[in-house]
């Protein structure tokens, strides 16, 4: 009986820990998305092509 209760408590503890992680991800989803967009913007500015600053649309009118 003691082993069964210990196993049940471990399963409940793991389930609660998993639920806490899921809640943190859902709660901070907006912050994560804003952070990813900011990193992407900085990387495109840093590693962009040297020809990105030309207005190609105006050349072919």
């Amino acid at each position: 009986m003691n082993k069964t209760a210990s196993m049940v408590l471990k399963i409940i503890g793991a389930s609660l820990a998993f639920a806490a992680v899921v809640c943190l991800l859902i709660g901070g989803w907006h912050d994560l998305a804003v952070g990813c967009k900011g990193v992407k913007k900085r990387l495109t500015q840093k590693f962009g092509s040297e020809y990105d600053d030309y207005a190609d649309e105006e050349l072919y009118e």
Side-chain angles (χ1 to χ4, degrees):
M1 179 77 176
N2 205 5
K3 288 184 179 183
T4 305
S6 176
M7 178 71 109
V8 169
L9 288 176
K10 285 181 184 179
I11 292 172
I12 291 172
S15 300
L16 289 174
F18 178 72
V21 170
V22 170
C23 288
L24 284 173
L25 285 176
I26 291 171
W29 188 258
H30 176 69
D31 296 333
L32 291 173
V34 169
C36 290
K37 285 182 185 178
V39 168
K40 184 178 177 184
K41 183 178 179 183
R42 277 187 264 143
L43 287 176
T44 55
Q45 287 176 350
K46 188 173 183 179
F47 298 112
S49 173
E50 61 182 296
Y51 303 109
D52 285 344
D53 55 350
Y54 294 111
D56 292 335
E57 300 85 27
E58 295 176 3
L59 292 174
Y60 300 110
E61 287 182 350

